[in-house]
Amino acid sequence: MQTSKIHRRSSTMPQTTIEQTSAAQLEQILDNAQKASAQWAQTPAAERARIIEHAAAALEAAGDALVALAMEETNLPEARLRGELKRTAFQLGLFGETIRDCACFDARIDHADAQWPMGAARPDLRRILIPVGPVLVFAASNFPFAFSVAGGDTASALAAGNSVVLKAHSGHPKLSQATASIFAAALEEAGAPEGLFSIIFGTASGSAAIEDPRIKAAGFTGSIPGGRALFDKANARPEPIPFFGELGSNNPVFVTGSAAAANAEGIVDQFIGSFTMGAGQFCTKPGTLVVPEDSNFTQILASRQLPAVHKLLNERIEAGYLQILAQLKAHAGVEVLAQHPEAENGQIQPTLLVATGEQLLADPQALQEECFGPAALVVTYKDEAQLLQIAGSFSGQLTATICGEESDNVAQLLFTLQNKAGRVLWNQWPTGVSVTYAQQHGGPYPASTVANSTSVGTAAITRFLRPVAYQGFPQSLLPAALRDDAEGTALLNGQRR
Amino acid sequence: MQTSKIHRRSSTMPQTTIEQTSAAQLEQILDNAQKASAQWAQTPAAERARIIEHAAAALEAAGDALVALAMEETNLPEARLRGELKRTAFQLGLFGETIRDCACFDARIDHADAQWPMGAARPDLRRILIPVGPVLVFAASNFPFAFSVAGGDTASALAAGNSVVLKAHSGHPKLSQATASIFAAALEEAGAPEGLFSIIFGTASGSAAIEDPRIKAAGFTGSIPGGRALFDKANARPEPIPFFGELGSNNPVFVTGSAAAANAEGIVDQFIGSFTMGAGQFCTKPGTLVVPEDSNFTQILASRQLPAVHKLLNERIEAGYLQILAQLKAHAGVEVLAQHPEAENGQIQPTLLVATGEQLLADPQALQEECFGPAALVVTYKDEAQLLQIAGSFSGQLTATICGEESDNVAQLLFTLQNKAGRVLWNQWPTGVSVTYAQQHGGPYPASTVANSTSVGTAAITRFLRPVAYQGFPQSLLPAALRDDAEGTALLNGQRR
């Protein structure tokens, strides 16, 4: 691993400071990453899986120290951080298991066919996904483990067979350095090539790295302006590269008339639980609850005592939250519906706002802006036509939720929402994103910069692969998964055996 | 179908002229395309397949008239055009067959699992690929059927469940109009929604369409500057969209020492056949033949009479060819090795140039520029180290070929080439791209703008799809392919049944 040096700086309290990565350090890191990527790409998938699993175990073993550092830097509670570390290790293991299985490399074998009805004989063609090369990952602020150093983007890029250069998030530098040291050492200890995983610090080094021709793809989780700026850089390169950014989402929830009549109290409880969970610092926090005007939702919500939440991740996040919340409160169409009583004491506390459907539709951009933190907007709709109009007014989303009864006719609402979002939910809540095979975390812009990709779940691995077809090759020169004796696992003539 | 009007303009010869699409016409076309796309997306795949196959048959039935028009506008010979039309109809049929099978929609079912080892219970999650919405396709000059109006991009976008707005290529406007009329009428006759397929004419309308928010993806086959300009527009939109461009390729061929010793005459014959086929107007034309310095390749090539070729597609293509050829000839490192004897009579004829490995490596950008037409460069290498250096000097390619003996140690050469190209070949030739399941036509930039996509073969359909996960939905609201009774065809817990 290449890292910036840690040194101590005198201060009232002794403090560890992480140096920004210099241009010379970055040059060495990228050079090593390129060499390591070529070696790693030629390492059998089962061997890669073993090495990744070893590194996952090393992180879990260092849990006490890492969680303590994370608590110090992020204000997140211990139980949440321990759960997140477990999720991170689980994710590394699941991705290892996935590449062992080989199915994720989409092997296809078409034997030569002189009678192929296209009008010309078909040659022997065999296609498989191969690693793209060194991947640059930008860590997130809100998941110091699961979307940071050894998180989802890193796990999927490594599983795919690429080296990783990780740009640490400025919100938790000491944790990043410590995690990276343990992770990189464990990878190398298990047999990974030197420089397979490196960490860099500082905006300048991230910016330089994304423009470097040795970097072949990038992953990112963060804000819309930050992500868009990097996306633009990735596309402006002489050789553009794919930039998988997960940028922002409002995650609206739509309540049908019959669900409101049947279960308003239950929906209110769950909604409050979901938008205040983790102090509202999830990209899948439900930011808007759309309810029938002729229901008693607003009365119920106004009567509830909103729960206290822990401090936000850092001062920058808190300042951003307060700014957007102030904008929303100042909007002519918006009123405060409920607020935690201690909100005026200076500490951040949950806030619920309310607007009518007309008001939302009059200024969707302002009223649908993501407010990262424990705030949400309740919107009342007057009839089904307006409900559909509101659904249609949203931009691309990570999630969209329907609270309904099975007898409701929601076909049109569901069709509208699936065209807006990567994940649609029925009577469940979008926070808590399961890491599994069928997960989809990513949707039309600005939810993602590449809507047909996911950053959670095993399909995330595919982002960092690309197909190559081998025409007319002898068995001995083919990748193992494309040889005749692997036909049991490949797609033969487009079909499974 | 929305089309521009055809009208006659007086001239010495009566002539049909196609009007450029006006802004008002484009507005109507895009509006209809958006409505049609929503309807088509909700049409079952088997029904879409039936309608597409009907339209394919209508094109074949009109073969005589269409081929006559194509001959008039492109200078391509009848047999080639008849074969290309057959390929076009075959491709539509194959894509129909592929969506009937459903496997291309990658259905995944994860049942709820309270014991899911991530640390939190897993909800019921089911994921499938859905259509992205209206697709804009830019037709190519060199395949007036197979990469034009009803060609590969159109076929894959329609099969995926999207409407198509086709920007005609200026090289064959009458053929485009005639093909579009037949194709759109046949689609509607078979039951497709009105406006599912439309054609537009003119650079201005193509440029306006790619910036329109109703367009959700684009396909393109053409030049690097033209493709890059459109790629940049697609990415600069407030909501960027994927732009699948196939831009340019040199398609180098590498001959090992032992292959040169065993079969120089045979390789020369096949190389000449491949680079002059269709007057060299294929994106997979082998533009560079890299041979051992100590072989008799240059003598054999110099002694061969290069075949006569038919006229190039049009004057613009001819002018471009002559310009790049003149640049190459004027380059200090390049000499003319062989030229068809009639070359000086004004008609375009094949030309072979030669340079040493040193010369190529001294100015790779100039000597590897694609020369679209019947020209190629022979490069001599002095040892294996230089061969690898030459291989490493190429930018992204559609194809790269090795002529070798099975006993050769080509592992490093093959690894280098598979990291450069989307398709690698062994003792075969890159021209003639088979339409099949395992085909890959696309590679690192500038071969493609999206390296992990193909524009030929059934995997092309996936470009115009994106995943959606359904969480906690009752059976009645799920897409058919995600219901419990479809488990036989879906991936269950990441595994095939």
Side-chain angles (χ1 to χ4, degrees):
Chain A
M1 185 190 63
Q2 306 293 320
T3 64
S4 301
K5 264 183 247 141
I6 300 180
H7 76 112
R8 292 189 170 272
R9 190 159 67 172
S10 64
S11 152
T12 47
M13 287 281 284
Q15 208 180 334
T16 306
T17 306
I18 311 289
E19 267 182 16
Q20 309 282 290
T21 304
S22 70
Q25 286 170 326
L26 181 64
E27 177 57 30
Q28 188 63 55
I29 285 170
L30 291 170
D31 207 47
N32 289 357
Q34 188 177 35
K35 285 175 194 144
S37 221
Q39 271 186 267
W40 188 240
Q42 293 172 89
T43 304
E47 178 70 358
R48 294 205 301 260
R50 185 190 61 74
I51 294 170
I52 291 169
E53 286 157 5
H54 177 83
L59 291 179
E60 280 207 292
D64 290 347
L66 292 176
V67 166
L69 267 177
M71 288 172 70
E72 185 189 317
E73 289 189 317
T74 66
N75 297 323
L76 294 173
E78 179 175 354
R80 144 73 194 270
L81 289 165
R82 288 207 181 268
E84 193 186 322
L85 179 58
K86 182 177 176 163
R87 172 197 167 124
T88 306
F90 168 75
Q91 185 162 260
L92 287 158
L94 183 70
F95 287 10
E97 185 191 302
T98 300
I99 59 170
R100 253 198 204 98
D101 176 55
C102 284
C104 68
F105 299 106
D106 190 29
R108 301 175 182 217
I109 298 178
D110 294 347
H111 291 292
D113 183 351
Q115 308 304 319
W116 187 235
M118 177 183 140
R122 182 177 76 182
D124 185 283
L125 269 168
R126 300 169 190 235
R127 182 184 193 261
I128 198 164
L129 303 180
I130 69 165
V132 293
V135 174
L136 176 65
V137 174
F138 291 84
S141 64
N142 60 337
F143 278 91
F145 293 116
F147 284 96
S148 191
V149 180
D153 287 341
T154 295
S156 45
L158 287 177
N162 307 292
S163 62
V164 169
V165 176
L166 187 290
K167 156 68 175 63
H169 195 277
S170 59
H172 45 269
K174 288 187 279 178
L175 174 66
S176 299
Q177 178 74 283
T179 310
S181 297
I182 295 163
F183 190 62
L187 288 170
E188 289 182 26
E189 185 181 84
E194 199 194 325
L196 179 65
F197 177 87
S198 315
I199 190 163
I200 59 176
F201 292 88
T203 308
S205 63
S207 184
I210 203 162
E211 292 181 331
D212 192 281
R214 287 165 289 196
I215 292 296
K216 297 300 184 189
F220 171 91
T221 306
S223 72
I224 296 179
R228 181 67 189 243
L230 290 167
F231 171 79
D232 290 344
K233 276 182 195 286
N235 286 313
R237 293 166 40 129
E239 179 198 355
I241 53 168
F243 180 83
F244 300 97
E246 192 259 82
L247 308 192
S249 188
N250 185 289
N251 308 298
V253 178
F254 299 83
V255 182
T256 68
S258 49
N263 188 29
E265 298 274 352
I267 292 171
V268 162
D269 286 343
Q270 291 165 18
F271 171 62
I272 292 174
S274 187
F275 95 83
T276 60
M277 180 190 280
Q281 300 171 111
F282 291 115
C283 42
T284 55
K285 179 201 79 174
T288 307
L289 181 74
V290 185
V291 299
E293 190 181 75
D294 59 359
S295 65
N296 54 353
F297 267 95
T298 50
Q299 293 92 310
I300 299 173
L301 282 161
S303 71
R304 287 291 158 88
Q305 163 125 9
L306 297 179
V309 295
H310 57 71
K311 279 183 76 177
L312 298 195
L313 287 158
N314 54 55
E315 283 166 18
R316 211 168 132 231
I317 300 271
E318 185 176 307
Y321 169 74
L322 290 173
Q323 189 199 327
I324 306 285
L325 184 61
Q327 279 172 25
L328 286 169
K329 281 182 174 176
H331 196 282
V334 175
E335 286 170 43
V336 175
L337 180 63
Q339 203 162 25
H340 188 276
E342 288 165 28
E344 280 119 43
N345 300 353
Q347 206 187 329
I348 296 298
Q349 295 300 355
T351 304
L352 264 180
L353 307 169
V354 66
T356 64
E358 280 82 1
Q359 286 159 336
L360 181 89
L361 291 169
D363 195 0
Q365 213 177 338
L367 268 60
Q368 293 171 8
E369 187 165 355
E370 185 179 5
C371 183
F372 193 79
L377 177 69
V378 178
V379 173
T380 55
Y381 66 88
K382 59 170 191 241
D383 53 25
E384 209 195 304
Q386 196 182 52
L387 175 69
L388 289 172
Q389 250 189 307
I390 293 169
S393 74
F394 279 89
S395 60
Q397 301 291 325
L398 290 170
T399 75
T401 299
I402 302 175
C403 293
E405 299 280 303
E406 213 176 320
S407 55
D408 288 337
N409 180 4
V410 294
Q412 215 182 326
L413 177 62
L414 177 56
F415 183 73
T416 301
L417 296 179
Q418 76 186 20
N419 285 309
K420 297 280 179 188
R423 179 163 55 113
V424 287
L425 299 95
W426 177 260
N427 291 334
Q428 297 193 7
W429 297 87
T431 41
V433 183
S434 196
V435 176
T436 181
Y437 315 99
Q439 187 55 277
Q440 172 59 26
H441 189 71
Y445 190 89
S448 305
T449 54
V450 182
N452 70 357
S453 71
T454 179
S455 60
V456 179
T458 58
I461 298 170
T462 319
R463 293 177 297 169
F464 303 117
L465 296 167
R466 71 171 180 86
V468 171
Y470 297 79
Q471 183 174 328
F473 272 82
Q475 294 287 310
S476 61
L477 289 173
L478 285 169
L482 291 182
R483 292 180 196 146
D484 288 346
D485 59 15
E487 279 185 1
T489 55
L491 214 60
L492 263 186
N493 250 332
Q495 302 286 323
R496 296 263 151 219
R497 263 241 173 121
Chain B
M1 185 190 64
Q2 305 294 320
T3 65
S4 301
K5 264 182 246 142
I6 300 180
H7 76 113
R8 293 187 168 273
R9 187 161 70 174
S10 63
S11 153
T12 48
M13 289 280 284
Q15 208 180 333
T16 306
T17 307
I18 311 289
E19 268 181 15
Q20 310 282 289
T21 304
S22 70
Q25 285 169 327
L26 181 63
E27 177 56 31
Q28 187 64 54
I29 285 170
L30 291 170
D31 206 48
N32 289 357
Q34 189 177 34
K35 286 175 194 143
S37 221
Q39 270 186 268
W40 189 239
Q42 293 173 89
T43 304
E47 178 69 358
R48 295 206 300 261
R50 185 189 62 73
I51 293 171
I52 292 169
E53 286 157 5
H54 178 83
L59 291 179
E60 280 206 293
D64 290 347
L66 293 176
V67 166
L69 268 177
M71 288 172 71
E72 186 190 317
E73 289 189 316
T74 66
N75 298 321
L76 294 173
E78 180 176 353
R80 144 75 195 269
L81 289 165
R82 287 205 180 269
E84 193 187 321
L85 179 57
K86 181 176 176 162
R87 172 197 168 124
T88 306
F90 168 76
Q91 186 162 259
L92 287 159
L94 183 71
F95 288 9
E97 187 190 300
T98 301
I99 58 170
R100 251 196 206 99
D101 177 55
C102 284
C104 68
F105 299 108
D106 190 29
R108 302 176 181 216
I109 298 178
D110 293 349
H111 290 292
D113 184 351
Q115 307 304 320
W116 187 236
M118 177 184 141
R122 181 177 77 182
D124 184 282
L125 269 168
R126 300 169 190 236
R127 181 184 193 263
I128 198 164
L129 303 180
I130 69 164
V132 293
V135 174
L136 177 65
V137 174
F138 291 84
S141 63
N142 61 337
F143 279 91
F145 292 116
F147 285 96
S148 192
V149 180
D153 286 340
T154 296
S156 45
L158 287 178
N162 307 292
S163 62
V164 169
V165 176
L166 186 290
K167 157 67 175 64
H169 195 278
S170 59
H172 45 270
K174 287 188 281 179
L175 174 66
S176 299
Q177 179 73 73
T179 309
S181 297
I182 294 164
F183 189 62
L187 287 171
E188 288 182 25
E189 185 180 85
E194 198 194 326
L196 179 65
F197 176 86
S198 313
I199 189 164
I200 59 175
F201 293 88
T203 309
S205 62
S207 184
I210 203 161
E211 293 181 331
D212 191 281
R214 287 164 289 196
I215 292 295
K216 297 299 183 189
F220 171 91
T221 307
S223 72
I224 296 179
R228 182 67 190 243
L230 290 167
F231 171 80
D232 290 343
K233 276 182 196 287
N235 285 313
R237 292 166 42 129
E239 179 198 356
I241 53 168
F243 180 83
F244 299 97
E246 192 260 81
L247 308 191
S249 189
N250 186 287
N251 308 298
V253 178
F254 300 82
V255 182
T256 68
S258 49
N263 188 27
E265 296 275 353
I267 292 170
V268 162
D269 287 343
Q270 290 164 17
F271 170 62
I272 292 175
S274 187
F275 95 83
T276 61
M277 181 190 278
Q281 299 171 111
F282 291 115
C283 42
T284 55
K285 179 202 77 174
T288 306
L289 182 73
V290 185
V291 300
E293 188 180 75
D294 60 358
S295 66
N296 53 355
F297 267 95
T298 50
Q299 294 91 311
I300 298 173
L301 281 162
S303 71
R304 286 290 159 87
Q305 164 125 8
L306 298 179
V309 294
H310 56 71
K311 281 182 75 176
L312 298 194
L313 287 159
N314 55 54
E315 283 167 18
R316 210 168 132 230
I317 300 272
E318 185 175 307
Y321 169 73
L322 290 173
Q323 189 200 327
I324 305 287
L325 185 61
Q327 281 172 22
L328 286 168
K329 280 182 174 176
H331 195 283
V334 175
E335 285 170 45
V336 173
L337 180 64
Q339 203 162 25
H340 187 276
E342 288 165 30
E344 281 120 44
N345 299 355
Q347 207 188 328
I348 296 297
Q349 296 299 356
T351 303
L352 265 179
L353 307 170
V354 66
T356 65
E358 281 82 2
Q359 286 160 336
L360 182 87
L361 291 169
D363 195 359
Q365 211 176 338
L367 268 61
Q368 292 171 7
E369 186 164 354
E370 185 180 7
C371 183
F372 193 79
L377 177 69
V378 178
V379 173
T380 56
Y381 67 87
K382 57 172 193 242
D383 54 24
E384 208 195 305
Q386 196 181 52
L387 175 68
L388 289 172
Q389 251 190 305
I390 293 169
S393 74
F394 279 88
S395 60
Q397 300 291 325
L398 290 171
T399 76
T401 300
I402 302 175
C403 294
E405 300 279 304
E406 212 176 319
S407 55
D408 288 336
N409 181 3
V410 294
Q412 217 184 324
L413 178 61
L414 177 56
F415 183 73
T416 302
L417 296 180
Q418 77 187 18
N419 285 309
K420 297 279 179 187
R423 180 164 54 115
V424 288
L425 299 94
W426 177 260
N427 291 334
Q428 297 192 6
W429 297 86
T431 41
V433 183
S434 197
V435 176
T436 181
Y437 315 99
Q439 186 57 274
Q440 173 57 26
H441 189 72
Y445 190 89
S448 306
T449 54
V450 183
N452 71 356
S453 71
T454 179
S455 60
V456 179
T458 57
I461 298 170
T462 319
R463 293 177 297 171
F464 303 118
L465 295 167
R466 70 171 180 86
V468 170
Y470 297 79
Q471 183 174 329
F473 273 82
Q475 294 287 310
S476 62
L477 288 173
L478 286 169
L482 291 182
R483 292 180 196 149
D484 288 346
D485 59 14
E487 279 186 1
T489 55
L491 215 60
L492 263 186
N493 249 333
Q495 302 287 323
R496 297 261 153 222
R497 265 243 171 119

